[in-house]
Amino acid sequence: MPKQVDPEARRQEVVDALFRVVVREGLQRASLRNVADEAGLNIGSVRHYFASQQELMRFAMRAMLDRVGARLRERVAAIGDLSERPHAEQLRLAADLLAELLPLDERRRAEVTVFLDFDTAARTDPAFADLSRRTAEGARELVRRILGRLAVTGALRPGLDLDTETERLTSLVDGLGLNAVLHPGLLAPEGCTAVLTAHLAGLAAEGGAAGAAGGDAG
């Protein structure tokens, strides 16, 4: 009797293999054949699920966005009502949420690496442009929601322009991710968290900055 294969599990297996190839060798080497070899499958098995490298990459990016989104939702659910927590703790929890977008461990490093290669490809390949924009918009929306919630609870200094601060913080997270992937010898995970925590502490209302600066966004 033929072995039953779970299609979703097989697709995820191929996506994981794609991530490993991109992290190790770059997007340009992530052909269907190379990904099939990495997954220990014949290329026909991969083509059964993905007709082209482009289709595989789009599926992989959507899977990564879903994966990161699920982790963020779990963290938000675990936090509960921010207003019941001290301002310094609110800022620390905000840093923890944003740290999900930084390459602080092997899993997140792979995600950021794949995203950077994908985003570079999207600059010249219209087939990837919508997902690249969706990712950029999602990051900004996350930052805007975090800052907006902190403002409502009084954890931020009054009078801040949240539009400007959203762009500043989004750019900071993007820059940290880029430099930590390209130059890990210059920017270690601890440096990423220290910079992120210091930035949020600089936005804090009086009395919240000192406690926030002592946090650990890992």
Side-chain angles (χ1 to χ4, degrees), residues 19 22-23 61 63-69 71 99-103 105-118 181:
F19 277 26
V22 174
V23 170
M61 283 303 299
M64 186 175 76
L65 292 175
D66 290 344
R67 186 184 302 178
V68 174
R71 290 205 308 266
E100 286 298 330
L101 306 180
L102 295 175
D105 53 28
E106 185 176 347
R107 176 186 62 187
R108 284 176 284 184
R109 177 170 293 276
E111 290 170 348
V112 175
T113 301
V114 171
F115 167 73
L116 289 174
D117 269 24
F118 178 87
V181 166

Side-chain angles (χ1 to χ4, degrees), residues 46-130:
V46 175
R47 285 202 174 110
H48 178 73
Y49 298 101
F50 304 103
S52 65
Q53 182 197 34
Q54 182 184 101
E55 185 178 324
L56 171 58
M57 278 301 302
R58 285 185 61 85
F59 183 88
M61 283 303 299
R62 287 195 299 267
M64 186 175 76
L65 292 175
D66 290 344
R67 186 184 302 178
V68 174
R71 290 205 308 266
L72 289 170
R73 287 191 294 273
E74 288 176 3
R75 280 186 174 270
V76 169
I79 290 170
D81 187 357
L82 269 183
S83 63
E84 297 179 353
R85 300 173 183 268
H87 288 170
E89 186 179 359
Q90 291 181 35
L91 292 164
R92 179 183 62 77
L93 290 169
D96 285 345
L97 276 175
L98 291 169
E100 286 298 330
L101 306 180
L102 295 175
L104 303 185
D105 53 28
E106 185 176 347
R107 176 186 62 187
R108 284 176 284 184
R109 177 170 293 276
E111 290 170 348
V112 175
T113 301
V114 171
F115 167 73
L116 289 174
D117 269 24
F118 178 87
D119 220 28
T120 300
R123 188 182 68 82
T124 55
D125 190 339
F128 299 144
D130 61 324

Side-chain angles (χ1 to χ4, degrees), residues 137-185:
E137 289 173 343
R140 279 169 172 75
E141 180 61 23
L142 173 65
V143 171
R144 187 181 298 277
R145 286 188 177 188
I146 290 173
L147 291 178
R149 187 58 185 154
L150 292 173
V152 167
T153 63
L156 300 185
R157 293 198 318 270
L160 289 175
D161 183 332
L162 290 188
D163 288 340
T164 298
E165 296 305 331
T166 294
E167 289 303 321
R168 287 182 65 207
L169 185 49
T170 302
S171 297
L172 177 67
V173 172
D174 285 347
L176 289 172
L178 175 66
N179 280 278
V181 166
L182 295 182
H183 309 292

